[in-house]
Amino acid sequence: MDPLTQNASLRDLQSYVAKLEAERGFDGRSAESQCLKLCEEVGELAGAVGALTGQPQDVRRRGSADVGDEAADVLLMLLAVVNRSGIDLEEALRRKEARNNTRQWR
Ligand SMILES: [Mg+2]
C-alpha cells in the first residue's frame, strides 16, 4: 500500500483507511465492532489528555499515553466507522458546519 502523501485530504485519508483495513484483514469487522473500538480509542485519548494535564493516573500506565498517538487512533477508527456507513466525511462535515454556522453561539 502506498504511504499517505503529505497533503492528503480527508477523502484521501478515508480511502487510505479502507485500504489499510483490507490489507490488515480488518475489513470484515462490523460497524458496531469498529464503533466500540472507536469508543476505546476515545477513552485512551481522554487518559492521555488527563496525563498531560496532571490528572491522577494508574501508576502502571503512567507515561505510556501519547495524545498525538491516541488522537491518530481516534481518527483512524472514526474513518473505519464512516467507511462502513457509506459516508463521505468531508461532505458530511461541510454540510454540518453550514448548519452550525446558522446557529447562535453564546
Ligand atoms: Mg490507542
Side-chain angles (χ1 to χ4, degrees), residues 52-89:
L52 193 67
T53 58
Q55 298 298 311
Q57 300 291 306
D58 180 337
V59 292
R60 295 165 294 182
R61 298 187 66 192
R62 187 173 290 161
S64 65
D66 180 276
V67 173
D69 282 356
E70 299 309 337
D73 285 344
V74 167
L75 179 59
L76 290 169
M77 293 314 303
L78 175 63
L79 295 177
V81 170
V82 297
N83 279 347
R84 284 164 173 76
S85 307
I87 292 168
D88 177 334
L89 188 56

Side-chain angles (χ1 to χ4, degrees), residues 18-55:
K19 291 176 190 160
L20 173 156
E21 286 205 287
E23 188 173 285
R24 295 179 186 173
F26 301 156
D27 52 337
R29 295 181 179 177
S30 69
E32 293 90 343
S33 168
Q34 296 306 72
C35 200
L36 285 173
K37 291 295 295 178
L38 170 61
C39 292
E40 286 179 32
E41 296 298 349
V42 169
E44 291 175 11
L45 175 61
V49 170
L52 193 67
T53 58
Q55 298 298 311

